[in-house]
Amino acid sequence: MIQLQHGLLIQQNVSLQDKNTFGFESVARYFCEPNSIEQCQEALAFARTHQLNLFPLGEGSNLILTADIDGLVLRMSNQTLTYQVEKDHIIAEVGAGVVWHELVMDTVRKGYYGLENLALIPGRVGAAPVQNIGAYGVELSDSLVSVQVLYVADGAVGSIAVEDCDFAYRDSVFKQQLKGQVVITGVTLKLHANAQGKLGYGDLATELQDLTPNAENIAHAVCAIRARKLPDPKLIGNAGSFFKNPIVSDSQAKLLKQQYPDMPIYPMSDQSCKLAAGWLIQQAGFKGYREGHVGVYEKQALVLVHFGAGQASDLLALAEQIQLKIFDLFNVQLEIEPSQVPLS
């Protein structure tokens, strides 16, 4: 173990099996958990000095570990959380190491609106902007003001405004142009004390039919729905939704609707439509399917699971099997949502 000037500990040969929700075994050559900007800057300097590849890690909840990691795995653990009440809104400054669901529940207990539909999404705050997390008609970008970062090349402090994050469906500048160039250290959010909850997606309104639709009740309703549909990663390895909902042209959507009248289709604003990947997978007969140590969750076809003792290659082989079948049946290409680290 190596201790640096600001108290940062660099550990060697650390198992990541309990640090990813699929539970795949992977060993990091070096591992550290900075709890401040200064410690993170030290970690970046350590990586540069020793010519190490850098791998930022949160809760490992949107990740497929495909092999050991020959580099420095850095997991931000800064727990800062402050609120500043303005005239008609609240500004929240949140450290990257804060657990996302704990942040959501803290805001709704205070009566603040903006994050309630995003309850029970696993992961830490620092990972949220990377794929612009979203659920039940709400995305992080709806409440985000800016993202605080450190630049890997020199440890310089930066702030990226929401309009410069290039947010799209499960995509951002952090997965594209800035991938590998920054470490997210925190976010600034804009919340509201008086707002109307968004209930128009899925069965959220039904869940709330006998309750006042305030922020806290909405969050609890979202938790109840997600708990019924999604497996607890503490009990069975998974990363939530495994495939992105595919986006197709209006013309292709119309053809599919003619062939499959019951197919859920969600029109978008740019002459395209979003399809429900889970519906496609279920129609292809994969719901509840198991192959060795991996399978498709019996209650939600969009979730792939690891029953233990398996490898990432088993999961990726099953994913490819599903992708090929969906393309063959619907002429639709499914894209894997979790990142593969290191790239296979």
Side-chain angles (χ1 to χ4, degrees), residues 238-277:
N238 75 93
S241 299
F242 192 83
F243 295 103
K244 297 180 181 180
N245 288 321
I247 296 173
V248 301
S249 66
D250 283 345
S251 57
Q252 184 177 1
K254 289 177 182 177
L255 288 174
L256 286 168
K257 194 68 173 178
Q258 291 174 2
Q259 294 176 272
Y260 306 95
D262 296 332
M263 176 182 287
I265 294 178
Y266 305 97
M268 301 180 72
S269 58
D270 58 352
Q271 296 186 333
S272 63
C273 294
K274 185 186 295 183
L275 308 181

Side-chain angles (χ1 to χ4, degrees), residues 115-302:
L115 306 184
E116 59 276 6
N117 291 46
L118 306 179
L120 212 59
I121 293 179
R124 298 192 181 192
V125 166
V130 177
Q131 64 162 6
N132 188 23
I133 60 171
Y136 296 97
V138 174
E139 292 181 321
L140 171 69
S141 55
D142 298 330
S143 298
L144 189 74
V145 175
S146 62
V147 178
Q148 286 69 59
V149 302
L150 289 180
Y151 287 89
V152 173
D154 57 6
V157 176
S159 180
I160 300 172
V162 61
E163 55 266 26
D164 297 321
C165 289
D166 293 344
F167 283 130
Y169 173 61
R170 302 300 176 267
D171 200 8
S172 71
V173 69
F174 307 106
K175 292 182 77 170
Q176 304 298 333
Q177 300 96 311
L178 291 182
K179 184 177 182 179
Q181 295 185 36
V182 298
V183 172
I184 294 174
T185 59
V187 301
T188 302
L189 303 170
K190 183 178 180 180
L191 308 175
H192 301 274
N194 297 296
Q196 187 172 356
K198 295 185 178 180
L199 310 178
Y201 194 96
D203 43 3
L204 190 52
T206 302
E207 190 76 21
L208 282 158
Q209 60 183 351
D210 297 324
L211 297 170
T212 303
N214 58 35
E216 190 166 15
N217 283 341
I218 292 172
H220 285 300
V222 168
C223 289
I225 295 169
R226 290 180 68 90
R228 288 198 298 267
K229 293 182 177 180
L230 303 174
D232 185 344
K234 295 177 183 177
L235 302 177
I236 182 171
N238 75 93
S241 299
F242 192 83
F243 295 103
K244 297 180 181 180
N245 288 321
I247 296 173
V248 301
S249 66
D250 283 345
S251 57
Q252 184 177 1
K254 289 177 182 177
L255 288 174
L256 286 168
K257 194 68 173 178
Q258 291 174 2
Q259 294 176 272
Y260 306 95
D262 296 332
M263 176 182 287
I265 294 178
Y266 305 97
M268 301 180 72
S269 58
D270 58 352
Q271 296 186 333
S272 63
C273 294
K274 185 186 295 183
L275 308 181
W279 187 92
L280 300 176
I281 297 167
Q282 183 170 341
Q283 296 305 304
F286 283 105
K287 187 177 182 180
Y289 175 76
R290 177 168 181 168
E291 191 166 286
H293 302 291
V294 299
V296 180
Y297 190 49
E298 60 186 3
K299 295 181 181 179
Q300 171 54 267
L302 191 53

